[in-house]
Amino acid sequence: MDLTIRPRRLRSSDCLRRMVRETRVSPDSLIYPLFLIEGENIVEPIPSLEGQYRYSPDRVGEAVEACLKAGVTRVLLFGIPAHKDACGSSAWDENGIVQQGIRAIKEQYPQCYIITDVCMCEYTSHGHCGILCGETVDNDKTLEVLSKTALSHVKAGADMVAPSDMMDGRVAAIRKTLDEAGYTNIPIMAYSAKYASAFYGPFRDAAGSAPAFGDRRGYQMDPHNRKEAIRECALDVEEGADILMVKPALSYLDVIREVSDTFDLPLCAYQVSGEYAMIKAAGAAGLIDEYRLLCESALSIYRAGANILITYYAKELAEAMGKGDMG
Ligand code: PBG
């Protein structure tokens, strides 16, 4: 055959394939989500997320140590409070569950970089992401409690805050509050294009944050929309976000690509609970090779344009990346 161009030439050995790779990944880009629960001496498995646990502040160090050992230095904290009320007041309590967790981690592992999820749904009795007015979430009233919550996380020692509520104007409100308190150096990672997704199912079970009525379509994005994601990101950029995020990841690779092409900020993708649970379940059923799939799905998210990845598989991925063996 007279074939001058043969793409297979560059695929002929492992050594060569590694040399010509377009996507290079590093454990530095990984963030591991951690669930904190009020109480003492608790490490309890999360039934909806096999292999994931809820930790009381006195034992969360064990989870952090395992992360550090695997090469994961960045964590994203979620809190499950003992007390919930209509306005979610324990979210900004200086002795709230996340605040206790931050202090406990920083005391033992100051090198651990702590990002906190800022949202009201785990703290409100109705499970919505803000303050209700009738049956809808009041945007502007919610900005106030989100800002207070972000500030209290930073005061407790958080290195970065990540608002996930999808209220309009929350990045600007949080930025202003942090700046006024002197925290001009604390970055905001905005859940900019966060879709109203069925993929969050296992998380809501893990965090006890399912809405008591209705759904989150009044504030999270409609999965039909792509241009709207660009608009949401543009607003967050204007409001002072330091890092943008697309969430979920695998079903929204087109959005990740477009946001990465359009904006010059670092871009994070969140491989959410449902994505993890599906891979776990299919692996446990013997239908797929779990290791290869967790690597391949992560690679596809990076290839789409994400620079940073939040995933429940962070430890496994860090080890895979460290060995240079992504399946
Ligand atoms: C809080 C929040 C959620 C997730 C991250 N932050 C749940 C939701 O919006 O209902 C989902 C994470 C996951 O599914 O892994 N609002």
Side-chain angles (χ1 to χ4, degrees):
M1 271 289 256
D2 185 16
L3 269 179
T4 319
I5 299 168
R6 292 179 182 267
R8 285 188 55 189
R9 246 181 242 132
L10 291 182
R11 296 180 202 138
S12 61
S13 74
D14 186 49
C15 179
L16 185 52
R17 286 192 295 270
R18 283 166 183 265
M19 188 173 92
V20 300
R21 271 180 187 157
E22 297 174 45
T23 306
R24 305 228 175 242
V25 289
S26 151
D28 287 333
S29 64
L30 294 167
I31 299 171
Y32 182 65
L34 259 179
F35 295 93
L36 289 155
I37 187 158
E38 220 129 9
E40 270 174 34
N41 199 22
I42 303 171
V43 178
E44 64 182 23
I46 300 173
S48 61
L49 288 173
E50 200 207 315
Q52 307 298 316
Y53 300 81
R54 303 184 191 98
Y55 299 87
S56 53
D58 58 335
R59 295 201 53 188
V60 71
E62 294 166 35
V64 173
E65 193 182 334
C67 281
L68 294 171
K69 229 181 229 156
V72 178
T73 313
R74 294 102 185 138
V75 297
L76 173 65
L77 300 186
F78 293 96
I80 302 143
H83 166 78
K84 301 191 189 216
D85 57 31
C87 61
S89 62
S90 53
W92 63 87
D93 181 343
E94 67 174 284
N95 283 316
I97 180 62
V98 168
Q99 293 81 350
Q100 289 177 47
I102 297 168
R103 287 191 290 264
I105 294 172
K106 282 290 180 188
E107 208 167 285
Q108 277 183 280
Y109 301 101
Q111 72 272 41
C112 178
Y113 190 89
I114 300 181
I115 307 164
T116 58
D117 183 271
V118 176
C119 194
M120 305 311 293
C121 62
E122 295 104 316
Y123 303 89
T124 52
S125 39
H126 45 75
H128 277 285
C129 299
I131 306 230
L132 288 184
C133 178
E135 295 220 329
T136 55
V137 175
D138 184 315
N139 191 85
D140 300 11
K141 267 195 205 149
T142 302
L143 297 184
E144 220 174 287
V145 292
L146 290 169
S147 301
K148 278 202 271 192
T149 301
L151 180 60
S152 78
H153 290 173
V154 172
K155 281 189 170 161
D159 296 295
M160 178 186 283
V161 291
S164 68
D165 51 283
M166 287 304 278
M167 297 302 121
D168 295 330
R170 90 275 208 206
V171 172
I174 292 172
R175 184 71 274 156
K176 185 164 179 278
T177 302
L178 294 182
D179 287 354
E180 281 171 2
Y183 296 108
T184 52
N185 286 332
I186 298 290
I188 299 174
M189 176 162 72
Y191 285 73
S192 306
K194 174 170 175 177
Y195 287 87
S197 172
F199 283 106
Y200 308 149
F203 173 95
R204 291 181 188 170
D205 196 38
S209 65
F213 63 87
D215 54 44
R216 304 209 201 291
R217 291 176 222 234
Y219 37 102
Q220 298 180 348
M221 281 181 55
D222 182 341
H224 294 78
N225 299 348
R226 182 173 56 88
K227 289 182 192 157
E228 191 190 3
I230 301 298
R231 198 169 139 70
E232 281 284 2
C233 288
L235 282 169
D236 284 354
V237 173
E238 261 172 55
E239 290 179 31
D242 299 280
I243 300 176
L244 301 174
M245 193 198 298
V246 173
K247 175 185 172 198
L250 212 50
S251 293
Y252 296 85
L253 295 178
D254 56 328
V255 179
I256 295 176
R257 164 52 52 201
E258 194 143 347
V259 171
S260 125
D261 285 346
T262 311
F263 302 95
D264 51 12
L265 262 53
L267 174 59
C268 180
Y270 196 148
Q271 180 176 52
V272 300
S273 56
E275 300 180 62
Y276 170 86
M278 286 196 311
I279 299 176
K280 268 277 170 219
L287 300 173
I288 50 127
D289 178 332
E290 182 188 2
Y291 182 78
R292 287 195 61 197
L293 196 56
L294 73 90
C295 290
E296 188 177 331
S297 56
L299 278 176
S300 68
I301 297 165
Y302 287 107
R303 198 186 57 238
N307 318 107
I308 303 164
L309 178 62
I310 304 171
T311 171
Y312 301 94
Y313 276 126
K315 284 178 285 184
E316 289 84 347
L317 282 167
E319 278 167 5
M321 291 173 185
K323 281 188 286 188
D325 173 21
M326 290 288 281

